[in-house]
Amino acid sequence: MPLCDPDRHPQDDLLIAAALCWFSKDFKDAKPELAKRAWEISQELCELHGLEPSEAILQLESC
């Protein structure tokens, strides 16, 4: 499944990336493999927009 969806607004990508970032943090100990994959997807989405996950979160907070 492609991460880049031309019908999705870029801000939605940042929201998804931030949610995955938080998920990866919250489940790091309980579900480490799932948390790792969530982090990887978050990074991939952010890279599509030239950002790091932390930058995506800061950009969302400034909205």
Side-chain angles (χ1 to χ4, degrees):
M1 178 163 99
L3 288 177
C4 186
D5 181 349
D7 295 329
R8 191 170 54 223
H9 191 279
Q11 200 72 7
D12 293 340
D13 281 346
L14 298 182
L15 180 59
I16 293 166
L20 288 168
C21 184
W22 286 316
F23 177 94
S24 72
K25 180 181 173 271
D26 289 346
F27 287 88
K28 183 175 72 174
D29 295 327
K31 298 279 187 179
E33 291 177 19
L34 192 57
K36 181 178 183 265
R37 183 62 186 134
W39 178 254
E40 290 168 352
I41 295 170
S42 175
Q43 287 183 308
E44 291 171 19
L45 275 171
C46 288
E47 285 176 6
L48 291 173
H49 300 282
L51 300 170
E52 292 291 324
S54 59
E55 294 171 315
I57 292 169
L58 290 173
Q59 200 167 69
L60 284 171
E61 289 176 348
S62 69
C63 292

